[in-house]
Amino acid sequence: MKKKILFTLLMCIALSVSLFASTSSFGPAFYADEAIDASTDLVPGTRDASLTLYDMNGNAVNEYSASAVQGASNTAMVKRALSGDREVFALLDSLYDGYVVTPYYDSILDFDVTDTYEEDGMSVYEYDVKLGEDVFYRESSDGNILGWDEDENDFDSDEVHVKVYIDKDSRLVRQEMTVERKVPEAVTITQNADFMTVTVDGEEYTVPSAVTTEGCFYMKAGGSNDVYDIVNFSVSETMSDYFVFDNYRK
């Protein structure tokens, strides 16, 4: 009888340790997910951006800067006023609309946790992600599906990989993402985002503060099948003056 009681006690201890470990591992990501969900309706009132174009040897050849002041319209759209060099937002608009996609975004189709560890006092999670390209424009996941190998019926880590850093307060503080896009033609981008906590209308939210988007894409030159123009770029953005816009499509 005593052996049975002892065995039951040991099993309970083992189970509690297992549950504690599970909660400890996934707790920070769970609360970071909740914070991102709560911030979905926030839009930056100001986006300041600088663009650098490089030649094939990595030498800077052109630099541009621009700002976008954004506000809410009476429809489900955001209105904005641009100043500076139009080339900056012409390029950014071909990649995304300023909303930084994370693995916790509701329109993500699926993700696979590939690694978890501690680094510099933060919890680090790495994900392979399956998503539709339209999520970069706050829409549902339609169109080209990235991050999934149809032949293998498994995640394709070469297409979408994301690493997030979550602090001791379970707040997302940094994200590093690499994406092999199909639109524009053959674009490869790396997007690193730093997040901050802001208070809007008395509520706290987790939002991007600085975003760096780098990459290279190839565009067919006119009607030629043999000549492609290569664009190597780096864009640094700061985002501020956030406001809540419940009607913004997403």
Side-chain angles (χ1 to χ4, degrees):
M1 186 66 172
K2 289 182 179 178
K3 288 183 178 179
K4 184 175 181 181
I5 293 174
L6 179 59
F7 177 77
T8 303
L9 179 60
L10 291 173
M11 287 299 293
C12 288
I13 293 173
L15 180 60
S16 65
V17 170
S18 174
L19 288 174
F20 178 77
S22 176
T23 303
S24 299
S25 298
F26 294 98
F30 174 80
Y31 291 112
D33 188 340
E34 285 194 327
I36 292 298
D37 286 344
S39 304
T40 304
D41 289 328
L42 262 70
V43 177
T46 304
R47 293 171 65 191
D48 295 315
S50 58
L51 163 67
T52 303
L53 298 180
Y54 303 91
D55 63 20
M56 288 187 291
N57 296 317
N59 301 310
V61 291
N62 289 105
E63 294 185 354
Y64 308 91
S65 62
S67 294
V69 177
Q70 303 185 142
S73 69
N74 57 2
T75 63
M77 299 292 175
V78 168
K79 60 182 180 181
R80 74 181 186 187
L82 296 179
S83 60
D85 300 314
R86 296 264 169 179
E87 291 88 345
V88 180
F89 282 94
L91 188 147
L92 283 175
D93 290 344
S94 72
L95 300 174
Y96 85 133
D97 64 2
Y99 182 82
V100 177
V101 173
T102 75
Y104 312 126
Y105 186 33
D106 285 345
S107 290
I108 294 297
L109 293 173
D110 201 359
F111 63 78
D112 180 37
V113 181
T114 61
D115 202 1
T116 61
Y117 50 93
E118 296 293 316
E119 183 178 308
D120 297 330
M122 292 185 286
S123 300
V124 181
Y125 293 78
E126 296 195 32
Y127 301 89
D128 288 338
V129 179
K130 175 186 177 184
L131 51 77
E133 283 192 280
D134 281 352
V135 302
F136 293 104
Y137 302 96
R138 294 178 64 114
E139 294 178 344
S140 60
S141 296
D142 297 321
N144 294 318
I145 302 301
L146 303 178
W148 191 255
D149 189 322
E150 294 290 347
D151 295 330
E152 297 291 335
N153 195 31
D154 200 358
F155 291 94
D156 185 349
S157 60
D158 292 335
E159 286 194 335
V160 187
H161 187 77
V162 184
K163 181 191 294 186
V164 299
Y165 296 80
I166 301 173
D167 68 12
K168 58 183 178 59
D169 296 318
S170 297
R171 291 174 175 166
L172 176 61
V173 296
R174 183 169 173 80
Q175 172 176 285
E176 299 170 358
M177 176 172 62
T178 57
V179 184
E180 297 282 347
R181 296 280 296 273
K182 298 175 183 177
V183 179
E185 289 186 57
V187 61
T188 302
I189 66 170
T190 298
Q191 186 177 75
N192 297 332
D194 293 320
F195 289 77
M196 63 181 176
T197 300
V198 297
T199 301
V200 180
D201 298 336
E203 299 290 335
E204 282 195 349
Y205 299 94
T206 299
V207 294
S209 58
V211 182
T212 300
T213 306
E214 300 178 337
C216 174
F217 60 86
Y218 302 79
M219 295 190 304
K220 187 181 296 184
S224 173
N225 291 323
D226 301 321
V227 180
Y228 283 79
D229 292 326
I230 300 176
V231 180
N232 292 290
F233 66 90
S234 176
V235 187
S236 297
E237 295 180 77
T238 57
M239 301 182 180
S240 58
D241 305 323
Y242 279 86
F243 62 93
V244 175
F245 188 22
D246 295 332
N247 292 329
Y248 192 18
R249 58 177 174 77
K250 57 184 178 294

